[in-house]
Amino acid sequence: MTTSEQHRVDAEPGTQHVRIVRSGQVVAETRHPLIVSETGLADRFYIPAQDVNFDLLAPTESHTTCPYKGVASYWTFRSGDGAGRDVAWAYPDPLPEVVGIRDHLSFYEDAVDTVVDADRG
């Protein structure tokens, strides 16, 4: 967790079954998402890297800096619609307050379909 007087970032483990799908193809699937809540933004699922099919993705040259999370790296689809534009991001070396997001990716909502099933356990 990181906080300031006006800004907060929380990363909590989720129990949902989350699938990231593009054109009918599963890009990522996990039962261990992180749910990242950040002031002023919608909650986001961050998917463990081991649950992402990197055969479908390629890194881009893009990097941005968030004062609350650190420097983000980006990925694009290797082919088809959306190829060449940033579709997912991660923080390979996040700030200490949010170190739990390391080795997790999140996807732009307009680039994929996110299918969420509630935990049935």
Side-chain angles (χ1 to χ4, degrees), residues 54-116:
F54 283 98
D55 291 342
L56 302 176
L57 301 172
T60 71
E61 298 288 323
S62 298
H63 292 86
T64 58
T65 301
C66 171
Y68 308 103
K69 295 184 295 274
V71 177
S73 298
Y74 291 81
W75 284 263
T76 188
F77 294 119
R78 290 192 183 272
S79 63
D81 291 342
R85 72 178 178 112
D86 296 334
V87 297
W89 71 92
Y91 291 88
D93 190 21
L95 295 176
E97 296 84 2
V98 291
V99 71
I101 65 173
R102 177 179 286 139
D103 298 325
H104 287 73
L105 277 78
S106 192
F107 291 82
Y108 285 108
E109 292 174 4
D110 65 344
V112 297
D113 294 317
T114 302
V115 181
V116 181

Side-chain angles (χ1 to χ4, degrees), residues 5-66:
E5 286 186 32
Q6 299 173 335
H7 197 93
R8 183 177 178 113
V9 178
D10 293 303
E12 299 292 333
T15 58
Q16 300 88 340
H17 177 203
V18 179
R19 287 183 314 281
I20 306 297
V21 180
R22 175 180 172 258
S23 301
Q25 189 167 32
V26 176
V27 178
E29 184 169 12
T30 190
R31 292 187 183 275
H32 307 285
L34 281 180
I35 302 169
V36 175
S37 302
E38 185 170 355
T39 302
L41 299 174
D43 287 355
R44 293 238 176 237
F45 288 109
Y46 276 60
I47 309 298
Q50 69 263 18
D51 295 335
V52 176
N53 183 350
F54 283 98
D55 291 342
L56 302 176
L57 301 172
T60 71
E61 298 288 323
S62 298
H63 292 86
T64 58
T65 301
C66 171

